[in-house]
Amino acid sequence: MTTMRYVRFLVLLALAPAAFAAQNVTHDFRAVRPSKGILRVQINIPAAELDVQNTIGDQIEVFGTATRAWEEASEQARAQQIVNSSGAAITVEGTRAFVKRSFGDGAQGRSSQGSQTRFTVHVRLPKGMHVEVRQLAGQVDLTGTFGDINVEMRSGDVNVVVPRREVHELEARATAGDVTTNLGTQIIEREGLFAGKTRFLNASGRSDLSVMVTVGNIDIQLVE
């Protein structure tokens, strides 16, 4: 089995319970905080489909959907109660903001807050803000103009599209998976187990970009 097929097999295996469920219940959520005085945002959501982009304005916005599967009719009401109490919150400590899952009274307990509740999360940030992502599984799509970017993923895919002129140092590494880096002038591809590290330096850039994945794929594009 090739590395790519193995990675996809692991992802499908993780999603199998949801894939075969009869139906889903959902709940949309949204949180907003002013960005004044905040220099860095750390996104800590264990498993999610995460999308990070720039916004016009001076606020941090988080919105998305919590989804939970149910099979028996007797489970539907409880599943809906759990997702209705599930979302994401923004907290601030000094110059740093944190984006984390939040659970209300209807979603207390380990089973309510476990992997059966799936999150799709969109984060919108002003240009130039530093971004950190700590995620166990899922997918991260990050597009825009930011300060330093640091992404750590245990199992899943990371896709990054940022302006080449902004990047001072780039470092990308996957323990098992494919790493594709389009530098604008050349494309560097690494694949397989312990494929090594891709590194790029741009003396005129001002921000650092670091992406580390244990099992999964990385695709980075530096654009004009």
Side-chain angles (χ1 to χ4, degrees):
M1 183 180 290
T2 66
T3 300
M4 180 71 77
R5 288 177 180 175
Y6 180 67
V7 169
R8 288 176 176 170
F9 170 77
L10 290 177
V11 173
L12 289 174
L13 186 64
L15 297 178
F20 291 103
Q23 297 187 62
N24 293 321
V25 291
T26 64
H27 171 71
D28 295 333
F29 56 83
R30 182 175 182 265
V32 179
R33 288 291 296 264
S35 62
K36 184 177 180 180
I38 297 173
L39 303 179
R40 183 179 300 271
V41 173
Q42 184 171 317
I43 305 169
N44 296 324
I45 298 179
E49 301 294 317
L50 174 64
D51 159 55
V52 184
Q53 297 183 35
N54 289 133
T55 186
I56 299 174
D58 55 356
Q59 65 182 20
I60 297 170
E61 180 182 11
V62 178
F63 60 96
T65 304
T67 303
R68 192 176 178 95
W70 58 274
E71 295 180 350
E72 303 293 336
S74 59
E75 301 172 346
Q76 182 180 5
R78 176 57 181 153
Q80 187 69 64
Q81 181 186 39
I82 291 171
V83 296
N84 286 350
S85 295
S86 302
I90 306 168
T91 59
V92 176
E93 296 180 10
T95 61
R96 184 186 294 260
F98 296 87
V99 176
K100 299 180 180 181
R101 299 179 303 168
S102 64
F103 298 99
D105 292 340
Q108 296 302 305
R110 180 176 297 180
S111 62
S112 299
Q113 300 176 15
S115 60
Q116 292 185 53
T117 301
R118 308 187 308 280
F119 288 83
T120 300
V121 182
H122 307 276
V123 179
R124 298 294 179 261
L125 305 173
K127 289 184 177 181
M129 188 166 289
H130 303 306
V131 183
E132 297 178 16
V133 179
R134 303 287 182 267
Q135 195 161 310
L136 297 179
Q139 179 167 316
V140 174
D141 296 319
L142 194 150
T143 303
T145 301
F146 304 95
D148 294 340
I149 299 170
N150 185 290
V151 180
E152 295 181 6
M153 170 83 77
R154 183 175 297 178
S155 176
D157 297 338
V158 178
N159 304 298
V160 179
V161 181
V162 294
R164 175 188 170 95
R165 66 180 181 275
E166 299 290 333
V167 177
H168 169 64
E169 181 175 0
L170 180 155
E171 185 175 312
R173 179 174 62 202
T175 303
D178 300 340
V179 180
T180 303
T181 309
N182 187 337
L183 302 177
T185 56
Q186 64 174 318
I187 297 176
I188 302 173
E189 295 182 320
R190 302 180 184 277
E191 62 180 22
L193 290 172
F194 308 108
K197 181 191 303 182
T198 297
R199 194 164 182 261
F200 166 75
L201 289 173
N202 173 21
S204 62
R206 62 180 183 177
S207 61
D208 294 335
L209 169 58
S210 174
V211 180
M212 303 296 173
V213 173
T214 304
V215 178
N217 304 306
I218 299 172
D219 186 284
I220 298 175
Q221 298 184 49
L222 304 187
V223 297
E224 296 299 328

